[in-house]
Amino acid sequence: MRIGIDKMAFATTNDYLDLVELAKERGVDPNKFTIGIGQDLQAVVPPTQDIVTLGAAAAKKLLTPELEKNISTVIVATESGIDNSKASAIYTKHLLGLSDFIRTVEMKEACYSATAAIQFAKGVVALNPQETVLVIAADIARYGLNTPGEVTQGAGAVAMLISQNPHILTLEDTTVAYSKDIMDFWRPLYATEALVDGKYSTNVYIEFFLQTFTRYQQLTGRELADFAALTFHMPFTKMGKKGLEGLLKDRNDEVAQRLRTQLTASQLFSRQVGNLYTGSLYLSLMSLLQNSDLRAGSRIGLFSYGSGAEGEFYTGILEDGYEHYMNNIQEELKHRHQVSVAEYEKLFSSQLGMNDRDIEFDVTNDPLPFVLKGQKDHQRIYEAK
């Protein structure tokens, strides 16, 4: 039985910040952001959006009444949870109007958990081939205003349907997971922004990629020439480049050149949106598929990483006609609204966050299909517009 990613869709906020403008405001050489980090634009989050609304917006783009009948499970992978008990998947399922006869869960392990969700979904479908699992990777990356991590913020969600006979990517059986207790990035319960040791985290990322890829080669006997492309988790696009170059080193033959070219294709959307945490690898995959000329039958490698730390390398085979089963991301990004640095700072500081007060937001100018209206009696209030 072939099991894999049947459809994919991406959603982000309507507002974005130009990082050249941010660099000027912060007194930093813009090249440090656009070349050194590899980011151009960054999604800005209004208080009316969170992981529930973004996840539902992404999922809405790929669902049809016929597909909804087969969904047995909704898994939301996130490190931006809105409740320490209730799964965000329940709110998302409600906004989407899905059947009550569905299991809904939330998963967490930094930026890695969407990959675990996909592997678990594959198991569900293997046992129940008639079922489809909706996996949503939704996150809001926050590091604080005028901090070293500010340039690696972002927001968005990638929704995926995992089923038999997939239209995009058939997942192969061999996967390699690798985990260690490492303090390179974490967010205590009392914090709204993450704590990170950036240089250390980069080194751990590269180590985990090399460990998992080498183990994969030992198990399969496959070489780099067997891959049409390698995709990476990209909290910032330079991270993916560091991972690939850690493997290629000085190699500059035809295979290495091809992998570098495809890496560039996979970076394009992340450069315009920023860090998606759990969704970053899968936005990278969508960017690759929509900005390259890969053919059906191509093998794609996927490296997933979550600080703390866990990594996994696995592969998939591209299906014929895959391009028809995703939303056109580049076209949608053209219609966003640019905000000034001052507007960005105001929106950043207007988030609901860890607040126990009753709050009502003005949702009039939010064009997304789902909004967070505010909070009343300690309960978040959502609305489908």
Side-chain angles (χ1 to χ4, degrees):
M1 183 193 311
R2 294 187 301 108
I3 301 174
I5 302 175
D6 184 56
K7 296 180 71 176
M8 303 181 77
F10 169 71
T12 188
T13 62
N14 188 56
D15 297 325
Y16 74 90
L17 174 68
D18 187 323
L19 293 181
V20 170
E21 296 302 314
L22 180 65
K24 293 176 180 178
E25 183 68 24
R26 300 293 186 248
V28 175
D29 180 354
N31 288 336
K32 181 177 180 179
F33 291 174
T34 60
I35 299 175
I37 301 295
Q39 297 299 129
D40 296 323
L41 309 176
Q42 183 179 105
V44 174
V45 186
T48 50
Q49 292 296 317
D50 66 5
I51 60 166
V52 170
T53 58
L54 291 171
K60 180 180 174 66
K61 296 177 182 181
L62 51 75
L63 294 179
T64 65
E66 191 61 32
L67 288 173
E68 290 174 10
K69 295 176 184 177
N70 298 324
I71 294 177
S72 68
T73 304
V74 178
I75 307 175
V76 173
T78 186
E79 58 177 280
S80 310
I82 59 168
D83 191 289
N84 287 328
S85 177
K86 185 174 179 179
S88 55
I90 294 178
Y91 294 102
T92 305
K93 186 222 77 167
H94 175 72
L95 284 177
L96 293 170
L98 298 177
S99 168
D100 289 341
F101 291 98
I102 288 178
R103 68 176 64 88
T104 51
V105 293
E106 182 177 310
M107 298 184 63
K108 179 179 70 177
E109 198 331 88
C111 304
Y112 162 77
S113 60
T115 297
I118 288 173
Q119 300 296 352
F120 296 166
K122 183 180 177 183
V124 170
V125 176
L127 290 172
N128 305 281
Q130 76 283 2
E131 296 183 3
T132 297
V133 179
L134 171 59
V135 172
I136 300 173
D139 265 306
I140 296 172
R142 287 172 60 94
Y143 295 98
L145 299 175
N146 208 5
T147 63
E150 184 176 32
V151 69
T152 62
Q153 297 178 141
V158 176
M160 298 168 276
L161 293 179
I162 310 301
S163 71
Q164 67 169 329
N165 302 321
H167 287 102
I168 296 179
L169 196 71
T170 293
L171 302 181
E172 296 189 287
D173 291 335
T174 303
T175 71
V176 178
Y178 186 78
S179 60
K180 284 185 176 182
D181 185 1
I182 290 175
M183 299 302 290
D184 61 329
F185 174 105
W186 68 103
R187 182 166 65 85
L189 291 176
Y190 53 78
T192 56
E193 282 82 45
L195 304 173
V196 59
D197 184 338
K199 186 174 181 180
Y200 179 43
S201 188
T202 298
N203 291 337
V204 174
Y205 173 103
I206 296 170
E207 176 198 346
F208 274 47
F209 170 55
L210 296 178
Q211 289 281 3
T212 55
F213 186 77
T214 299
R215 178 64 173 163
Y216 175 87
Q217 287 186 301
Q218 293 169 346
L219 294 174
T220 64
R222 293 185 180 125
E223 301 295 333
L224 277 176
D226 295 313
F227 293 90
L230 298 177
T231 55
F232 293 83
H233 164 58
M234 290 186 190
F236 54 93
T237 63
K238 195 66 172 288
M239 184 76 99
K241 179 177 174 61
K242 288 177 181 290
L244 181 61
E245 294 304 329
L247 177 66
L248 296 179
K249 300 186 185 302
D250 295 328
R251 185 169 170 173
N252 199 33
D253 56 14
E254 182 181 347
V255 171
Q257 291 177 16
R258 181 183 74 240
L259 293 177
R260 290 186 176 106
T261 297
Q262 302 295 19
L263 175 71
T264 299
S266 73
Q267 294 172 319
L268 295 179
F269 294 156
S270 293
R271 291 189 71 98
Q272 300 176 62
V273 176
N275 193 353
L276 302 190
Y277 287 157
T278 53
S280 292
L281 169 60
Y282 300 99
L283 180 59
S284 169
L285 175 61
M286 294 183 75
S287 183
L288 171 71
L289 299 183
Q290 294 188 18
N291 293 290
S292 67
D293 56 355
L294 292 176
R295 297 179 180 178
S298 297
R299 175 175 289 111
I300 298 173
L302 300 96
F303 173 62
S304 180
Y305 176 79
S307 294
E310 186 157 2
E312 184 165 343
F313 184 83
Y314 70 110
T315 59
I317 302 298
L318 204 54
E319 294 295 328
D320 187 37
Y322 65 86
E323 64 273 14
H324 301 299
Y325 295 89
M326 299 174 284
N327 63 309
N328 187 328
I329 296 177
Q330 188 58 60
E331 184 60 31
E332 293 182 5
L333 291 178
K334 292 178 182 178
H335 301 288
R336 293 182 298 168
H337 168 250
Q338 181 177 348
V339 298
S340 67
V341 174
E343 289 171 315
Y344 145 71
E345 292 178 339
K346 181 179 179 180
L347 291 170
F348 186 93
S349 301
S350 300
Q351 300 295 302
L352 184 57
M354 294 184 179
N355 200 319
D356 62 357
R357 302 194 310 271
D358 287 354
I359 297 176
E360 183 174 355
F361 296 130
D362 181 1
V363 301
T364 307
N365 296 320
D366 193 324
L368 269 65
F370 305 101
V371 292
L372 172 63
K373 294 187 65 177
Q375 180 172 272
K376 185 175 183 180
D377 297 330
H378 308 285
Q379 300 175 40
R380 289 191 176 218
I381 310 299
Y382 293 101
E383 179 180 89
K385 296 184 74 176

